[in-house]
């Protein structure tokens, strides 16, 4: 699909807005709740579809369906509670009322790493408050989006309220940006594309919500509980084979615990079973495509050439295709490519630090303050560090 189909989808959403926005919150709530129920009834099949087209292990994929559906459940409830405000006026005989009204047609552009959840998370609130939507899923995971849209139709959400277009991403993106009927763009994906959309949205002054790339630090202090830190770091680094925006991208370990932690961490990753997401016990699927593997390889090579040491893995997996070994690299410096940009793969670069101040300085040395983690047993440090980290989400003793 391209320009024509996108224009058709916008027209259809624009037309449906008239009816959908006039329903009561309770009527929209019922339909969203039915959509939630249908997703949950089809949890296994949707999970299989996600594993087939995205590659994550089936258990994780089914987990994503529950997580993705939960946004519809939550916003179905919120649909009935779109409250306004009464603001005292400066004049004695007047009152200022604030009403919350739907903005109109929303364009939602989503990535491949959570093919269902990134859709429901945007569409749930939009539909709840009366907006209609044109979704542009990633070209790598179109089937989950289509299955979700089919279930939306079956749940009584009228045709035109939810539209899916896929194909030529820049063409579709430009058409959405140029349309004066599209009043809002919501996007999850790379910072590079997010910047383009933000600039493009300025032409027609659309509202914009962006969830972009990360470069999450995960700090292990000397006073951390080693078991808790290992478990949390494994979870944040290796979920979805390292392909989430909140995956740890840099693991900072204090010098007193460095040897102990890196040796236990290297042993633990050797047990991560890589393979077909449908096989029993597999916790690491393939990367999304060849370009992703090449990016991981080039980052690892850059680090090695600048003095970093491979402690586990470090190359393509013997399974071939786009499988990559769970990898740990020690003695990484914050100026290496692997620490500057998102690796988006199963590679854990470890940086050694001496003091808390140094860790905070290294952690904040990025323009992608999305998520951060740290491990400590000190309550005082928990407060101090969580507020010093310039990040939107901070996990304390938690991956
Ligand atoms: P991406 O390349 O930016 O793609 C995201 C979406 O944008 C896809 O649907 C893509 O379509 C589309 N797109 C690409 N070029 C476009 C253009 N010129 N105009 C309009 N749309 C365009 O990102 P990705 O590789 O799919 O996802 C990985 C990135 O997403 C990572 O950086 C990750 O950190 C970020 N992410 C962030 C969050 C968060 O919550 N902050 C969550 C998940 C992922 P095609 O796929 O069809 O090209």
């Amino acid at each position: 699909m391209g320009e024509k189909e996108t224009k058709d989808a916008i027209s259809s959403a624009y037309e449906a807005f008239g009816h959908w926005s006039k329903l009561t919150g309770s009527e929209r709530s019922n339909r969203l709740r039915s959509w939630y129920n249908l997703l949950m009834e089809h949890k296994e099949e949707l999970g299989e579809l996600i594993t087939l087209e995205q590659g994550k292990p089936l258990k994780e994929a089914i987990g994503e369906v529950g997580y993705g559906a939960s946004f519809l459940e939550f916003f179905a409830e919120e649909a009935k509670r779109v409250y306004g405000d009464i603001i005292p006026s400066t004049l004695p005989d007047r009152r200022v009322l604030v009403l919350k009204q739907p903005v109109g047609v929303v364009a939602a552009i989503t990535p491949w790493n959570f093919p269902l959840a990134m859709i429901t998370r945007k569409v749930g609130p939009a539909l709840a408050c009366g907006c209609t939507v044109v979704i542009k899923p990633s070209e790598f995971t179109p089937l989950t989006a289509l299955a979700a849209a089919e279930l939306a139709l079956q749940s009584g959400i009228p045709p035109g309220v939810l539209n899916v277009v896929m194909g030529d991403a820049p063409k579709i993106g430009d058409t959405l940006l140029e349309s004066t009927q599209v009043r809002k763009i919501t996007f999850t994906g790379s910072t590079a594309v997010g910047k383009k959309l933000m600039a493009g949205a300025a032409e027609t002054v659309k509202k914009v919500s962006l969830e972009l790339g990360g470069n999450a630090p995960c700090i292990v202090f000397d006073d951390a509980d080693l078991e808790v830190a290992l478990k949390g770091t494994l979870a944040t680094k290796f979920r979805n084979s390292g392909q989430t925006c909140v995956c740890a991208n840099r693991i900072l370990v204090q010098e007193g615990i460095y040897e102990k932690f890196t040796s236990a961490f290297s042993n633990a990753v050797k047990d991560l079973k890589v393979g077909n997401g449908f096989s029993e016990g597999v916790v690491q699927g393939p990367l999304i495509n060849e370009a992703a593997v090449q990016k991981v390889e080039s980052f690892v090579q850059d680090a090695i050439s600048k003095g970093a040491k491979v402690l586990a893995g470090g190359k393509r997996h013997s399974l071939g295709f786009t499988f990559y070994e769970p990898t740990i690299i020690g003695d990484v410096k914050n100026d290496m490519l692997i620490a500057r940009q998102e690796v988006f793969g199963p590679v854990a670069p470890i940086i050694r630090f001496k003091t808390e101040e140094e860790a905070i300085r290294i952690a904040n040395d990025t323009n992608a303050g999305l998520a951060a983690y740290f491990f400590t047993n000190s309550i005082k440090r928990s407060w101090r560090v969580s507020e010093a980290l310039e990040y939107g989400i901070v996990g304390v003793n938690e991956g």
Side-chain angles (χ1 to χ4, degrees), residues 48-105:
E48 284 168 17
L49 200 50
I50 292 174
T51 297
L52 280 169
E53 66 176 352
Q54 199 272 341
K56 67 179 68 171
L58 186 59
K59 194 167 159 224
E60 258 188 67
I62 292 175
E64 181 185 336
V65 181
Y67 167 64
S70 78
F71 293 115
L72 300 182
E73 182 191 37
F74 180 88
F75 287 106
E77 289 154 6
E78 291 299 288
K80 294 177 276 187
R81 304 190 182 98
V82 186
Y83 301 135
D85 268 318
I86 301 176
I87 300 171
S89 164
T90 50
L91 300 170
D93 57 349
R94 297 192 189 177
R95 298 291 178 270
V96 180
L97 304 187
V98 178
L99 301 180
K100 301 276 174 74
Q101 296 195 299
V103 292
V105 177

Side-chain angles (χ1 to χ4, degrees), residues 52 66 74 81 130 133 140 142 151 174 231 290 300 350 376 384:
L52 280 169
F74 180 88
R81 304 190 182 98
V133 183
F140 302 114
L151 292 175
D174 288 348
K231 192 166 164 254
E290 179 61 25
V300 170
I350 306 194
T376 178
R384 211 166 48 228

Side-chain angles (χ1 to χ4, degrees), residues 3 72-73 103 136 149 158 166 260 262 268 343 347 357 367:
E3 186 179 341
L72 300 182
E73 182 191 37
V103 292
K136 208 306 274 163
M166 53 185 71
K260 214 168 159 187
T262 46
V343 63
V347 179
E357 293 69 30
N367 63 355

Side-chain angles (χ1 to χ4, degrees), residues 110 112-113 136 138-139 187-190 211-213 245 342 344:
T110 55
W112 48 263
N113 59 352
K136 208 306 274 163
S138 166
E139 63 182 311
F187 170 75
T188 298
S190 63
E211 292 190 287
L212 307 179
C245 54
E342 254 182 319
F344 237 56

Side-chain angles (χ1 to χ4, degrees), residues 286-324:
L287 297 192
I288 190 71
N289 54 28
E290 179 61 25
V293 185
Q294 285 175 8
K295 179 181 174 191
V296 169
E297 283 181 320
S298 70
F299 281 20
V300 170
Q301 280 320 310
D302 174 80
I304 294 170
S305 73
K306 290 174 180 159
K309 291 191 184 64
V310 174
L311 303 177
K315 57 184 188 311
R316 284 180 189 245
H317 197 277
S318 55
L319 286 168
F321 303 105
T322 57
F323 291 100
Y324 197 88

